[in-house]
Amino acid sequence: LEKQLYDIVEEIVESILSFTYRKLDATFSTVTSSTEFPKGLADEWRNVLAMLITFTKGFPWITSSLCQQLIEFCLVYINRKIFNWLLVIPKLCTGASGITIKYSFSQLLDWVAAASSVDKEIYEEQCNQILHAVNLFFCITNPAVLENSDFLPNMYLHLSPAEVNRLAQNMAKSTKVTDAVLLELSKNAEEDPKPHAVSAREILNHFLTQRS
């Protein structure tokens, strides 16, 4: 019986996520056609998450802890969608887009932390990929960045060498990045980066695997 109840709850959670992901996906309609990352998306993401939070309050069995997890699943989705685009759309890999992305996530994380009474740092952990990608954009235009022996090891905690190399190569198509920096980053990239899974089931499985 316990296993049956668990499966039912898991199926409901997946349905809620699938619906919410479709709503979030609609906010990205102009990303691929824009010359840089569009401004104002934080408000649209906030509206979708506000709808999710309001919806969960109608079900007594959805505890505050489960609501927090649903929010984390949604942040992972936003993070992965944007990160996947950065890997394949060079025009988005610029300092200007980086500023917009970082500001958008900061706005969203501030709001959702207050709305759910959860520390912002907990939610930030679900956005590590995109936040480190943005930091890479800010740093690699300065050749001296590689003089810091901790820079790449810290970056590789969150992004694979292949991902770092691809992001740098993409940025170099519109921004000056020295050949020395590009050469150093390419040394550790042994394969092409793969896109991260963004379906509700795949993200749910990712969390279940992490916490099992």
Side-chain angles (χ1 to χ4, degrees):
L1 179 60
E2 183 177 346
K3 177 65 166 59
Q4 290 176 320
L5 289 174
Y6 182 86
D7 288 343
I8 291 171
V9 171
E10 188 174 311
E11 184 177 337
I12 293 173
V13 167
E14 183 179 353
S15 297
I16 293 172
L17 288 178
S18 295
F19 176 80
T20 308
Y21 287 179
R22 287 194 296 271
K23 293 293 184 181
L24 286 170
D25 208 41
T27 70
F28 295 123
S29 60
T30 62
V31 171
T32 57
S33 60
S34 300
T35 55
E36 61 182 41
F37 195 82
K39 297 178 173 64
L41 292 190
D43 288 339
E44 297 185 48
W45 301 337
R46 182 179 62 190
N47 290 339
V48 175
L49 293 185
M51 178 190 67
L52 172 65
I53 293 171
T54 300
F55 174 79
T56 60
K57 289 179 179 178
F59 297 88
W61 59 270
I62 299 183
T63 63
S64 58
S65 176
L66 180 53
C67 181
Q68 175 187 328
Q69 288 184 322
L70 289 170
I71 293 170
E72 290 182 45
F73 298 154
C74 291
L75 291 174
V76 168
Y77 177 80
I78 297 171
N79 167 82
R80 289 186 175 187
K81 284 284 288 190
I82 299 174
F83 188 79
N84 284 345
W85 277 320
L86 294 183
L87 292 176
V88 297
I89 306 178
K91 67 181 179 180
L92 297 179
C93 298
T94 65
S97 287
I99 291 171
T100 299
I101 292 170
K102 188 166 186 175
Y103 180 65
S104 297
F105 271 88
S106 179
Q107 284 186 303
L108 178 64
L109 292 171
D110 283 341
W111 176 84
V112 77
S116 59
S117 300
V118 174
D119 288 342
K120 180 180 177 180
E121 289 74 17
I122 292 175
Y123 289 138
E124 275 184 342
E125 292 179 8
Q126 311 310 327
C127 309
N128 268 330
Q129 288 167 313
I130 195 65
L131 294 178
H132 279 80
V134 166
N135 286 339
L136 181 70
F137 295 158
F138 297 154
C139 295
I140 61 171
T141 54
N142 179 5
V145 69
L146 295 183
E147 295 176 8
N148 180 352
S149 60
D150 293 329
F151 177 74
L152 285 180
N154 287 340
M155 188 66 66
Y156 291 154
L157 292 175
H158 306 282
L159 308 179
S160 72
E163 290 169 341
V164 171
N165 181 58
R166 174 63 62 80
L167 293 172
Q169 295 287 345
N170 284 351
M171 188 175 188
K173 293 178 180 179
S174 61
T175 306
K176 177 61 177 176
V177 181
T178 67
D179 291 340
V181 169
L182 293 176
L183 178 61
E184 184 63 30
L185 296 181
S186 68
K187 290 179 180 178
N188 298 311
E190 299 178 353
E191 57 185 19
D192 290 332
K194 296 178 175 59
H196 293 269
V198 293
S199 75
R201 170 43 58 184
E202 288 166 318
I203 289 177
L204 185 56
N205 286 345
H206 169 73
F207 272 80
L208 292 174
T209 301
Q210 275 190 327
R211 297 174 182 182
S212 61

